[in-house]
Amino acid sequence: MTDGTFKGFGPKAMPFFKALDFHQSREWFAENRALFDSDLHGPIGDLVEVLTERFATAGLGLRGDRKKSLFRINRDVRFAKDKRPYNRHVSAILSPDGSKTGLGVFYVHIGLERCFADVAWWNPEPPLLLAIRRAITDRPGEFRKLLSTLKKNGLEFETEGRMKRAPRGFEQIADADLAEAVRNRHFVVQRVIDPTEIHAPALVDELVEFTLRAKPLLDWGRAIQGKVTG
C-alpha cells in the first residue's frame, strides 16, 4: 500500500525489468509480484495521482487515477508473433476526461529500453486530423508561431509515423515546413527521462515543468478540436 505521495520508483525497478526480460515467465512474475507492486506499480499510481493534482493547479486540463490511467504490464499476444507475456515497461496516460481514449494527452513511460514523457495529439480520428492539417495550411502564421514557441521552450515535434508522401488533398503545398508538417500522423513533443531521475520525488516537478512548456501544443489542438466537435 502507498500513502498517495510520490517518493520515486524503487531502487529495484530496473533490475526487476532486466530479470523479467530474461525470464518472461508467469511463474517468475507471480513469485516476484510483491517487488513489482512496491517498486513499479505502486509508484506509477502515486505519480499519476500527484500529477493530477499538480496539473489541476497549473490549469493544464489533464487528469487520471491509479486504476484507470495505468496500462497493463501484460501483453496482448493473441495476434502477435512475439509471444512474450510481459511488457518491459510501465506506463500511464492523463487526459482531459481521465480516460485512455482522450486526445491531447500526457503520457509517461518508464522502461528497460528508455524512459520518457510525451504531450501528444496521438492518432487523431480522421475528421480531427484533417482539421489539424487544414489549420496548418490555412493559417500558417498561427502554426509557425506555435513552432517558434515550442522551440523557445526547448521542444520540437517528433517524427514517428510521419508519412513519406503528402496526404491526399495536400500534394500542392509549396512551403517545405508546411508540407513536412501535414505528413504527420501524430503531433508529439517529448522529454527524455534519465533513468537516474526516476527514483526521486523531484521527477514530479520535472514533468510538470515539461508539460507547461508543451501547453501551447495542447491549446492549439484544443482550439481546432473545439471547432470539429462543436
Side-chain angles (χ1 to χ4, degrees), residues 162-200:
R162 180 176 287 170
M163 300 172 66
K164 293 182 179 179
R165 298 179 180 177
R168 183 176 299 177
F170 295 87
E171 298 89 348
Q172 305 306 316
I173 304 301
D175 292 347
D177 59 336
L178 304 182
E180 180 179 85
V182 298
R183 288 171 25 226
N184 287 330
R185 291 189 176 94
H186 323 291
F187 296 82
V188 184
V189 293
Q190 185 172 101
R191 184 198 188 279
V192 175
I193 301 171
D194 188 303
T196 62
E197 291 183 276
I198 72 170
H199 304 294

Side-chain angles (χ1 to χ4, degrees), residues 5-216:
T5 59
F6 179 71
K7 300 179 179 67
F9 290 88
K12 296 184 179 179
M14 290 304 170
F16 175 89
F17 279 135
K18 290 178 181 178
L20 176 63
D21 190 43
F22 176 78
H23 291 281
Q24 281 292 341
S25 158
R26 290 180 173 83
E27 292 76 16
W28 184 91
F29 186 85
E31 292 173 1
N32 292 274
R33 179 67 193 240
L35 177 58
F36 171 71
D37 288 340
S38 65
D39 282 34
L40 285 160
H41 190 260
I44 197 170
D46 294 339
L47 179 62
V48 165
E49 295 193 340
V50 172
L51 285 175
T52 293
E53 295 175 2
R54 293 285 299 276
F55 285 173
T57 300
L60 288 165
L62 297 167
R63 60 186 174 91
D65 67 60
R66 65 187 321 117
K67 291 185 177 180
K68 297 179 181 178
S69 301
L70 276 59
F71 291 93
R72 290 164 52 86
I73 194 169
N74 304 75
R75 297 181 64 249
D76 184 353
V77 299
R78 290 174 297 172
F79 307 107
K81 292 182 180 179
D82 182 353
K83 297 300 182 181
R84 290 178 294 181
Y86 297 105
N87 289 310
R88 299 179 298 175
H89 63 266
V90 292
S91 57
I93 193 167
L94 284 77
S95 66
D97 63 0
S99 76
K100 292 192 183 82
T101 58
L103 294 173
V105 302
F106 169 91
Y107 171 80
V108 61
H109 177 113
I110 305 298
L112 183 59
E113 294 180 346
R114 58 195 297 250
C115 303
F116 63 91
D118 287 342
V119 168
W121 291 89
W122 184 265
N123 200 29
E125 293 291 326
L128 178 56
L129 180 57
L130 178 60
I132 290 173
R133 286 170 169 163
R134 284 179 173 165
I136 291 169
T137 58
D138 294 349
R139 300 188 296 279
E142 291 182 14
F143 179 68
R144 287 171 174 144
K145 182 178 179 181
L146 169 67
L147 291 184
S148 177
T149 301
L150 291 175
K151 186 175 181 179
K152 289 178 183 177
N153 292 348
L155 302 171
E156 60 182 18
F157 284 130
E158 298 293 304
T159 60
E160 181 180 353
R162 180 176 287 170
M163 300 172 66
K164 293 182 179 179
R165 298 179 180 177
R168 183 176 299 177
F170 295 87
E171 298 89 348
Q172 305 306 316
I173 304 301
D175 292 347
D177 59 336
L178 304 182
E180 180 179 85
V182 298
R183 288 171 25 226
N184 287 330
R185 291 189 176 94
H186 323 291
F187 296 82
V188 184
V189 293
Q190 185 172 101
R191 184 198 188 279
V192 175
I193 301 171
D194 188 303
T196 62
E197 291 183 276
I198 72 170
H199 304 294
L203 179 63
V204 171
D205 292 331
E206 296 296 330
L207 294 180
V208 172
E209 188 267 345
F210 159 67
T211 309
L212 285 168
R213 288 189 288 120
K215 186 175 182 291

